[in-house]
Amino acid sequence: GIQVEQSPPDLILQEGANSTLRCNFSDSVNNLQWFHQNPWGQLINLFYIPSGTKQNGRLSATTVATERYSLLYISSSQTTDSGVYFCAPVFSGGYNKLIFGAGTRLAVHP
Amino acid sequence: ETGVTQSPTHLIKTRGQQVTLRCSSQSGHNTVSWYQQALGQGPQFIFQYYREEENGRGNFPPRFSGLQFPNYSSELNVNALELDDSALYLCASSLVQGRKDGYTFGSGTRLTVV
């Protein structure tokens, strides 16, 4: 069946450190989004990235659709980066629905 | 440009009751999707509405139903509430079923069933 696997499941960083979050998916995708869920539960859209590389400030993302993975890079992490990061692809051939991974829980300490 | 708004923010209901959650889509968006997020898990797709018609449904029983109105706002109705329905319910809107710029989420409604 369709699967979305995120790694690592948990990550603890000191402020200022860099990190890479990975998302593997089991089938071809039409698009893919990365979200940050804040402590109040809101999902903040970070990137809409079906393929290629995008950057937004300290964050960047790369999706290699042919190899079925996406990466989220966080540089110079800040305490406000804490929360849960979700990868959510839309798989080809199904409804245009996001399929979420289990997320990476990030804690950034001062 | 207004974002996605959901109401109410929190709700407590008794097992067996019925509940209606509401979502106003982002300006210009014609597609609304609903997701259920249990504690510690990723959101699960409930269903999607596109131009007032249901356009895809996840693995949820018929007691979960919805509507989309001409202004593209939407309601999620849950009948015969069960304890396991306690979750964060998220609404997401998009243009053309997410095929352009993806989905934008609201802040969610936290439902507790006691």
Side-chain angles (χ1 to χ4, degrees):
Chain A
I2 292 173
Q3 292 185 8
V4 180
E5 296 180 351
Q6 292 189 240
S7 60
D10 297 281
L11 187 58
I12 300 174
L13 299 175
Q14 285 296 121
E15 204 166 26
N18 302 327
S19 63
T20 300
L21 282 56
R22 187 177 181 99
C23 172
N24 293 330
F25 40 93
S26 60
D27 209 337
S28 58
V29 298
N30 289 333
N31 63 54
L32 184 145
Q33 287 183 256
W34 281 96
F35 295 93
H36 174 218
Q37 189 164 41
N38 64 25
W40 298 272
Q42 181 158 18
L43 283 168
I44 308 297
N45 179 38
L46 299 176
F47 293 101
Y48 170 76
I49 184 165
S51 63
T53 298
K54 291 186 177 180
Q55 180 154 9
N56 184 5
R58 298 182 294 104
L59 303 181
S60 64
T62 295
T63 296
V64 184
T66 53
E67 297 186 21
R68 300 183 181 172
Y69 73 88
S70 184
L71 302 174
L72 178 68
Y73 306 94
I74 304 175
S75 64
S76 304
S77 58
Q78 301 176 358
T79 56
T80 52
D81 294 332
S82 297
V84 184
Y85 289 81
F86 288 104
C87 161
V90 172
F91 287 92
S92 307
Y95 305 122
N96 289 300
K97 61 180 179 181
L98 296 166
I99 304 293
F100 284 80
T104 291
R105 286 156 184 74
L106 173 65
V108 181
H109 297 309
Chain B
E1 171 180 283
T2 58
V4 179
T5 58
Q6 292 186 243
S7 63
T9 55
H10 295 82
L11 202 52
I12 299 175
K13 288 288 191 177
T14 303
R15 188 172 51 182
Q17 285 188 315
Q18 179 266 344
V19 69
T20 297
L21 310 182
R22 294 178 174 83
C23 172
S24 293
S25 59
Q26 182 169 309
S27 176
H29 284 182
N30 56 17
T31 304
V32 172
S33 304
W34 287 91
Y35 290 80
Q36 180 196 65
Q37 186 178 20
L39 199 61
Q41 298 181 20
Q44 300 292 314
F45 175 75
I46 302 175
F47 42 57
Q48 181 180 94
Y49 280 84
Y50 174 57
R51 294 183 175 177
E52 302 180 57
E53 292 192 3
E54 187 178 291
N55 181 49
R57 187 179 183 91
N59 189 25
F60 281 83
R63 58 189 185 84
F64 285 77
S65 63
L67 284 172
Q68 187 179 33
F69 300 99
N71 66 355
Y72 303 130
S73 66
S74 178
E75 288 182 354
L76 165 65
N77 299 290
V78 187
N79 293 322
L81 283 167
E82 301 177 358
L83 296 179
D84 285 348
D85 296 333
S86 296
L88 179 67
Y89 287 85
L90 294 161
C91 168
S93 76
S94 64
L95 183 62
V96 197
Q97 300 170 292
R99 290 196 289 267
K100 179 177 172 59
D101 300 330
Y103 292 86
T104 301
F105 280 82
S107 299
T109 294
R110 197 167 296 277
L111 173 65
T112 302
V113 182
V114 298

